[in-house]
Amino acid sequence: MKILILCTGNSCRSQMAHGFLQSFDPSLSVYSAGTKASGKVNPKAIEVMYDAGIDISHHTSDSVDKYMNDEWDYVITVCGGAKESCPTFLGKVKNRLHIGFDDPSEATGTLEFIQSEYIRVRDEIKKIFYELYIDKIKGHE
């Protein structure tokens, strides 16, 4: 099963979702991309995922253009608030889903608060993507 997780920057939320989904089932082919890929994975995202037992330090931030000609079982967008425009994927897709999350890289305030936002969003992504995996993906491989 091929799954593409799509965001704008492909540096934080889509990377976390990619890491979790791959950890739930290593046989899945999981990729992530962005319409305006930043070129690097957010260091705080790497840190909080590592704290959760998942290493995404080897991930790359890729442009969605790299995947336009592929066929996908799922394309899942994870962009969140009203300040963001969610990308549209025009390639061949069996199932399109949107699951929005706040962008922890937009958090401002104390270092403790910013850290807590990364952890909060990470934990939301883990919970919702695990439910998605159990409810929709696991039985349909």
Side-chain angles (χ1 to χ4, degrees):
M1 179 166 297
K2 281 181 67 174
I3 300 166
L4 178 63
I5 302 168
L6 195 56
C7 204
T8 307
N10 188 222
S11 66
C12 193
R13 292 163 293 179
S14 53
Q15 295 288 348
M16 288 190 224
H18 178 170
F20 278 125
L21 202 49
Q22 196 74 72
S23 77
F24 301 150
D25 188 343
S27 73
L28 297 173
S29 295
V30 182
Y31 302 85
S32 59
T35 51
K36 297 176 184 164
S38 66
K40 62 183 176 36
V41 179
N42 181 306
K44 292 292 284 179
I46 293 171
E47 176 190 319
V48 298
M49 288 298 287
Y50 189 80
D51 291 345
I54 298 170
D55 182 6
I56 61 168
S57 64
H58 61 284
H59 285 199
T60 57
S61 176
D62 299 323
S63 170
V64 68
D65 297 338
K66 179 176 178 179
Y67 302 110
M68 287 304 274
N69 296 321
D70 294 352
E71 291 188 29
W72 300 95
D73 294 297
Y74 283 91
V75 171
I76 306 167
T77 52
V78 293
C79 43
K83 291 186 281 185
E84 284 183 282
S85 59
C86 219
T88 303
F89 184 79
L90 302 173
K92 296 176 186 157
V93 182
K94 291 180 186 167
N95 301 282
R96 296 173 194 272
L97 298 173
H98 171 71
I99 308 169
F101 298 97
D102 294 336
D103 186 350
S105 69
E106 299 284 322
T108 57
T110 65
L111 292 175
E112 291 80 11
F113 176 75
I114 293 168
Q115 180 77 6
S116 74
E117 283 296 282
Y118 274 89
I119 292 167
R120 178 183 66 80
V121 171
R122 176 202 67 197
D123 292 348
E124 283 178 12
I125 290 171
K126 180 179 183 179
K127 177 184 184 297
I128 290 170
F129 269 80
Y130 187 72
E131 290 168 0
L132 171 72
Y133 171 69
I134 294 299
D135 293 343
K136 296 195 188 279
I137 296 171
K138 186 176 181 187
H140 296 93
E141 294 177 66

